[in-house]
Amino acid sequence: MGGTMKLSSISDDFFELVKFDKELMDNTNRRPYLIILRLKYSGIRQDFAVPFRSNIDSNTPKDQYFSLPPRKTTQKHHVHGLHYLKMFPIKSEYLRKFNVENNPYYATLLGIINKNLKTIVKDAQKYLDDYQNGRKQRYCTNIDGIYLAMNQILEVKDVAPAKENNNG
């Protein structure tokens, strides 16, 4: 299966597809996401993107995010971290390389994430389970809507004449 996570950014195509969801974090400067592979959702394993947020309000319940060292853009009384409320399902064709090489800050973050991956995966899965069981938080992303939009568009693409085949 490979690793259970990676850092990535997300294509503009994806954000165009799901622009109905006003709770998605904007894609300015190709925001980095932690891609957690194979969380369980709707009875199947699905990849999810969890955004890094530099300004999570410090009153946010601790089970809604995983805290990371502050960024230079993190304001006073705010937390930098992985924000589960803003996570969404993703497919590999929407992932774009996020360059972390020669960036000591991201090297540090990846070290912390790797060390705490079990906790992050467990917390993200718990958030998804709660979401599916109707315990949806205010300001959360529309996981069901994104999931449906992403999967319907793929069915349409499968039928459309192939312009190019990147899948080898």
Side-chain angles (χ1 to χ4, degrees), residues 53-97:
R53 277 193 87 180
S54 52
N55 287 295
I56 299 170
D57 190 291
S58 57
N59 296 325
T60 302
K62 298 271 185 269
D63 64 346
Q64 294 180 9
Y65 67 92
F66 179 80
S67 186
L68 291 165
R71 290 174 44 98
K72 48 186 181 287
T73 54
T74 304
Q75 298 159 7
K76 202 173 174 168
H77 307 300
H78 285 76
V79 181
H80 175 238
L82 294 166
H83 202 177
Y84 304 129
L85 255 67
K86 303 298 183 183
M87 69 191 242
F88 52 86
I90 194 69
K91 290 194 178 292
S92 58
E93 60 262 35
Y94 295 115
L95 301 182
R96 299 294 176 263
K97 186 167 174 41

Side-chain angles (χ1 to χ4, degrees), residues 42-55:
S42 290
I44 58 168
R45 296 264 169 215
Q46 173 77 37
D47 297 348
F48 275 82
V50 185
F52 287 86
R53 277 193 87 180
S54 52
N55 287 295

Side-chain angles (χ1 to χ4, degrees), residues 10-72:
I10 312 267
S11 73
D12 291 332
D13 296 355
F14 174 81
F15 287 96
E16 189 56 34
L17 173 70
V18 296
K19 64 179 180 234
F20 59 83
D21 191 339
K22 300 297 177 232
E23 290 303 327
L24 282 173
M25 305 300 300
D26 65 26
N27 203 27
T28 322
N29 302 326
R30 290 263 185 240
R31 165 190 299 279
Y33 288 84
L34 178 70
I35 309 301
I36 302 180
L37 305 174
R38 309 270 153 237
L39 290 173
K40 202 165 185 186
Y41 189 73
S42 290
I44 58 168
R45 296 264 169 215
Q46 173 77 37
D47 297 348
F48 275 82
V50 185
F52 287 86
R53 277 193 87 180
S54 52
N55 287 295
I56 299 170
D57 190 291
S58 57
N59 296 325
T60 302
K62 298 271 185 269
D63 64 346
Q64 294 180 9
Y65 67 92
F66 179 80
S67 186
L68 291 165
R71 290 174 44 98
K72 48 186 181 287

Side-chain angles (χ1 to χ4, degrees), residues 84-118:
Y84 304 129
L85 255 67
K86 303 298 183 183
M87 69 191 242
F88 52 86
I90 194 69
K91 290 194 178 292
S92 58
E93 60 262 35
Y94 295 115
L95 301 182
R96 299 294 176 263
K97 186 167 174 41
F98 183 77
N99 203 341
V100 292
E101 286 138 35
N102 307 321
N103 186 325
Y105 180 73
Y106 281 109
T108 302
L109 290 189
L110 282 172
I112 293 168
I113 289 166
N114 274 318
K115 217 181 304 179
N116 293 282
L117 194 58
K118 266 194 174 129

Side-chain angles (χ1 to χ4, degrees), residues 141-155:
T141 56
N142 180 349
I143 292 173
D144 296 322
I146 293 167
Y147 183 83
L148 289 171
M150 198 169 52
N151 287 302
Q152 283 172 338
I153 206 87
L154 282 178
E155 289 163 21

